[in-house]
Amino acid sequence: MSELKLMKGNEALAEAAIRAGADAYFGYPITPQSEVIEYLMAEKPFDRTGMVVLQAESEIAAINMVYGAAGAGKKVMTSSSSPGISLKQEGISYISGAELPCLYANVVRGGPGLGTIQPSQADYFQSTKGGGHGDYHQIVLAPASVQEMADFVKDGFDLAFKYRIPVLILSDGVIGQMMEKVDLFDPIPRLTNDEIIERYPWATTGKKSGTERRIITSLDLDSHKMEKHNQKLQAKYKEITEKEVRYELIDCDDAEYIFVAYGSSARIAQKAVKLARAKGIKAGLFRLITLFPFPSVKMFEMCGKGIKGFLAVEMSAGQMVEDVRLAVKGCSKVEHFGRFGGVVHTPEEVLEALEQKIIGG
Amino acid sequence: MAEITLEEIIKPENLVYTKTKLMTDKVLSYCPGCGHGTAHRITMEVIEELGLEEQTIGVAPVGCSVLAYEFMNIDMQQAAHGRAPAVATGIKRVWPEKIVFTYQGDGDLAAIGTNETIHACNRGENIVIIFINNGIYGMTGGQMAPTTLPGMKSSTSPYGRDVQTMGNPLKATELVAQLPGTYFVTRQSVHTPRNVRKAKKAIKKAFENQRDGKPGVSFVEIVSNCNSGWKMTPRDSNVWMEENMFPFYPLGDIKVDGQLL
Ligand SMILES: Cc1ncc(C[n+]2csc(CCOP(=O)(O)OP(=O)(O)O)c2C)c(N)n1
Ligand code: SF4
Ligand SMILES: [Mg+2]
């Protein structure tokens, strides 16, 4: 049953995994997302739905457990925070190459290195431009509320299986840790083994005698075949770019200045829009929901309609701003503002940056 | 002695050996004389003989045997270097009724994948691990492995392994035998017909353990040659293996039915 609850973002993600009918979660603790595995272990989904929860010996092991289970047709996920996500990159590259569906979440903290346990959005490049080795992309969903931490688990699994691709929920320490009201979706039953075997003929579930064996691999020593495989992947990314872009426009109809932001920065920028409007500045917010695919077409389209400038607001030294620049193709002014290294900017700072860098600059 | 004619030889009742249908017809990519091919064949024979074809999922990580899926005619997953025990854990945990095995080299199992190996063994995952120890990195052209013997030459220990600076060879099999999560641990070889038969028996026991739900990992090391990496003829490599590898890696069972011998 749909159910209203007060929860932390990390807990909502965990509860949503159970409700989405996940077959397994493999993880390793790291702040600020340890509540995910703690919640799952306390909640005993093995009793509730039969879902497997296993604490692995490392993030490397966890993502490879995901690889194995996903290759066998099951609905599986993992989660971590920045340093742990770096360790998973090898596995994510293999999962992308082998075209396996899976979901994972990064509750981002400040880096580089061990960095800080405070919130950050400095893993944007890693999330949207590949992260591991090879020419690949993954679908990246950026929740800006506890509600979306839950909802994107369901959507993420659907997209993962639709395209046989890893889907990343790119959250941050603010969204992971804060408590909000969340309307939890109705539980979806896990697929039965027979349903899995029927729906996913590519999965290694044990081959019937006399039939073709299934092979999960990212390897082909024939480079011409590997090029073909890569072309197929690129065609998939193109289709995703055409069909799966998601964003939200807030107060943009009459806006002259646009904040572009995602995740907790979008919440802060939304407040900055209010402060700006109170001062008579016509500001709006372009909230990104999918970071890959990036809503470049829409952004470019808006550009010609009286927009005097875009301010990319992100808790990083300037990563997402590069995609904004690529999207608007020089037709409008684009600047960046963000605190980083674990510092969260205030709406006042964001407005000040708009006034100085875009309006006054 | 009565002559046997060609017509008689090919009669079904005179059949003494047939290739298991669980090996494909693809020509093996292994160097002539290499033990990998024999180890593949007996593994597949065991799966066929136990009637486990439809339940079994194999995992082959990076190493010369990364292409095992070209030869093993069952559902297979290729894994990243060292990660097969984690991949196998993932499969087995969501399909506990299936039979899952890994087929790993010594570089894979005892260097880059030591963590995954020890923890899968320590958790007592109900899987079979087949461990091909040839004391070298075969696939990448004969570099030093964690198992390379003291003084043994390789392309990254061209003057011989100096244990003072390069560390000691690791007896991964003795190590995992100490863990409560292993149920059966044995060391075999496939360089003579007699040893092939013994190794096959051991592999059969390992798969029977998993089929029967015996708790924990069944771990079969096969000390094998890498004639190319060792830069020897296949025959010389087998003699060298007997004289040098076996004294350091003695053949035989180490743990049976959960009990150290
Ligand atoms: C992450 C990573 N590091 C290094 C390699 C290169 N590599 C491929 S196979 C191999 C060694 C394999 O040796 P072993 O496991 O002993 O198998 P063998 O070929 O001897 O059977 C190495 C280092 C790789 N593929 N991936
Ligand atoms: S390089 Fe060594 S291990 Fe690899 S196939 Fe050749 S002989 Fe076998
Ligand atoms: Mg080797």
Side-chain angles (χ1 to χ4, degrees):
Chain A
M1 240 130 328
S2 143
E3 199 181 336
L4 213 55
K5 271 197 167 175
L6 184 68
M7 290 182 117
K8 272 191 175 190
N10 288 333
E11 294 168 348
L13 181 96
E15 174 61 30
I18 306 172
R19 287 177 181 246
D23 295 302
Y25 170 93
F26 303 101
Y28 187 85
I30 184 171
T31 308
Q33 69 75 57
S34 297
E35 292 85 358
V36 178
I37 190 165
E38 286 169 353
Y39 181 94
L40 287 172
M41 285 296 188
E43 205 47 39
K44 294 192 188 164
F46 15 96
D47 293 343
R48 252 171 81 181
T49 67
M51 174 185 175
V52 171
V53 187
L54 181 64
Q55 181 169 333
E57 63 270 33
S58 70
E59 288 86 351
I60 298 175
I63 193 70
N64 281 284
M65 290 172 186
V66 166
Y67 178 99
K74 297 275 178 161
K75 204 182 216 187
V76 283
M77 68 177 287
T78 182
S79 65
S80 186
S81 178
S82 310
I85 296 290
S86 291
L87 279 181
K88 290 188 197 290
Q89 292 304 329
E90 178 199 47
I92 291 159
S93 172
Y94 274 71
I95 287 170
S96 302
E99 295 190 86
L100 301 181
C102 77
L103 179 68
Y104 74 109
N106 181 1
V107 183
V108 182
R109 57 190 252 179
L114 195 53
T116 166
I117 57 170
Q118 302 303 327
S120 166
Q121 295 180 313
D123 295 355
Y124 180 91
F125 282 155
Q126 184 199 53
S127 310
T128 58
K129 312 288 174 190
H133 58 286
D135 265 331
Y136 74 89
H137 285 288
Q138 58 203 351
I139 296 175
V140 185
L141 301 171
S145 61
V146 173
Q147 183 67 51
E148 286 184 341
M149 281 290 264
D151 293 345
F152 288 0
V153 170
K154 188 161 152 249
D155 297 356
F157 272 129
D158 288 346
L159 288 165
F161 277 88
K162 181 170 174 196
Y163 293 102
R164 283 180 62 185
I165 194 172
V167 174
L168 165 60
I169 295 181
L170 188 71
S171 181
D172 61 62
V174 176
I175 307 291
Q177 290 297 323
M178 74 183 182
M179 289 189 94
E180 275 184 330
K181 187 181 67 179
V182 49
D183 188 0
L184 294 163
F185 57 84
D186 291 344
I188 303 161
R190 290 175 51 230
L191 292 185
T192 64
N193 287 346
D194 287 342
E195 284 169 334
I196 288 171
I197 290 166
E198 202 192 303
R199 269 192 215 185
Y200 311 128
W202 48 266
T204 55
T205 52
K207 81 164 186 80
K208 287 266 160 292
S209 192
T211 63
E212 272 295 303
R213 69 194 184 286
R214 277 72 59 94
I215 299 168
I216 301 297
T217 183
S218 59
L219 172 74
D220 205 316
L221 294 173
D222 178 339
S223 27
H224 293 280
K225 283 196 197 150
M226 199 21 96
E227 187 184 41
K228 278 225 163 65
H229 175 61
N230 266 274
Q231 283 163 347
K232 184 179 160 215
L233 292 180
Q234 292 304 320
K236 172 156 82 180
Y237 304 145
K238 187 162 175 280
E239 187 188 345
I240 289 169
T241 304
E242 282 159 6
K243 293 188 184 158
E244 305 298 347
V245 172
R246 291 199 207 176
Y247 54 82
E248 186 186 5
L249 300 177
I250 297 168
D251 293 335
C252 284
D253 287 348
D254 63 338
E256 296 177 340
Y257 304 101
I258 304 283
F259 295 117
V260 184
Y262 66 94
S264 50
S265 275
R267 307 265 296 233
I268 297 161
Q270 194 172 347
K271 186 76 202 285
V273 168
K274 276 213 174 105
L275 297 179
R277 296 233 166 216
K279 276 177 112 176
I281 302 169
K282 286 186 178 168
L285 169 64
F286 195 127
R287 176 167 86 92
L288 307 175
I289 297 174
T290 53
L291 305 184
F292 181 88
F294 194 84
S296 310
V297 175
K298 182 67 192 174
M299 220 170 265
F300 184 64
E301 213 179 273
M302 279 172 73
C303 195
K305 294 178 185 157
I307 304 288
K308 295 179 179 159
F310 292 87
L311 184 69
V313 182
E314 48 180 332
M315 292 187 285
S316 79
Q319 300 190 15
M320 178 261 291
V321 64
E322 292 194 3
D323 282 336
V324 180
R325 288 207 173 98
L326 285 171
V328 306
K329 301 175 193 165
C331 87
S332 173
K333 191 168 182 178
V334 176
E335 294 292 342
H336 164 264
F337 173 74
R339 302 291 301 270
F340 47 97
V343 179
V344 181
H345 28 244
T346 63
E348 291 76 14
E349 285 175 319
V350 171
L351 176 57
E352 199 185 307
L354 178 73
E355 291 175 313
Q356 286 178 0
K357 295 185 169 196
I358 304 277
I359 303 174
Chain B
M1 209 200 294
E3 292 252 330
I4 182 163
T5 64
L6 189 65
E7 285 70 34
E8 280 167 321
I9 289 175
I10 60 170
K11 279 186 184 157
E13 62 266 32
N14 289 330
L15 187 72
V16 287
Y17 175 79
T18 179
K19 182 170 79 72
T20 165
K21 69 176 171 46
L22 298 190
M23 284 293 282
T24 65
D25 290 333
K26 178 128 184 160
V27 176
L28 292 176
S29 54
Y30 304 112
C31 307
C34 172
H36 268 305
T38 310
H40 277 29
R41 172 173 63 77
I42 57 177
T43 305
M44 289 299 108
E45 283 175 357
V46 163
I47 293 170
E48 183 177 18
E49 285 162 23
L50 294 177
L52 298 175
E53 169 187 4
E54 300 194 347
Q55 282 108 283
T56 306
I57 300 152
V59 183
V62 183
C64 276
S65 51
V66 67
L67 288 172
Y69 61 72
E70 298 269 2
F71 315 120
M72 295 180 171
N73 193 11
I74 53 167
D75 277 2
M76 293 288 295
Q77 292 198 15
Q78 175 249 317
H81 195 19
R83 317 299 176 217
V87 171
T89 298
I91 303 170
K92 186 72 183 181
R93 290 291 180 124
V94 294
W95 287 101
E97 58 278 72
K98 303 283 172 193
I99 302 291
V100 182
F101 74 93
T102 70
Y103 184 102
Q104 305 174 249
D106 47 324
D108 189 87
L109 180 140
I112 195 166
T114 322
N115 205 30
E116 286 77 6
T117 302
I118 287 187
H119 283 282
C121 286
N122 200 45
R123 279 192 305 266
E125 297 298 338
N126 202 214
I127 59 174
V128 171
I129 294 180
I130 296 172
F131 167 35
I132 308 294
N133 175 10
N134 53 17
I136 206 153
Y137 286 179
M139 187 190 210
T140 38
Q143 294 84 7
M144 184 175 69
T147 45
T148 298
L149 297 177
M152 183 175 164
K153 287 185 179 163
S154 74
S155 69
T156 52
S157 58
Y159 308 106
R161 181 178 194 151
D162 169 14
V163 295
Q164 295 297 321
T165 57
M166 298 168 178
N168 298 288
L170 184 66
K171 295 186 179 182
T173 304
E174 277 79 355
L175 202 72
V176 300
Q178 299 302 318
L179 303 173
T182 48
Y183 186 78
F184 173 50
V185 181
T186 185
R187 184 182 281 124
Q188 304 289 332
S189 82
V190 291
H191 70 304
T192 69
R194 186 166 167 270
N195 287 94
V196 171
R197 279 196 295 274
K198 284 180 79 174
K200 185 173 165 183
K201 251 194 177 154
I203 292 173
K204 191 171 230 169
K205 191 174 178 61
F207 277 91
E208 282 168 350
N209 286 340
Q210 186 178 166
R211 181 199 61 193
D212 299 342
K214 294 286 165 33
V217 173
S218 288
F219 189 103
V220 182
E221 172 179 339
I222 295 174
V223 182
S224 189
N225 62 343
C226 172
N227 37 293
S228 291
W230 297 355
K231 311 220 177 313
M232 294 175 195
T233 62
R235 201 186 157 277
D236 288 352
S237 72
N238 282 337
V239 174
W240 190 89
M241 181 167 69
E242 284 182 350
E243 289 174 354
N244 298 275
M245 294 284 276
F246 293 171
F248 194 85
Y249 299 112
L251 304 186
D253 292 344
I254 299 172
K255 194 178 195 180
V256 177
D257 295 344
Q259 300 299 316
L260 280 168
L261 298 182

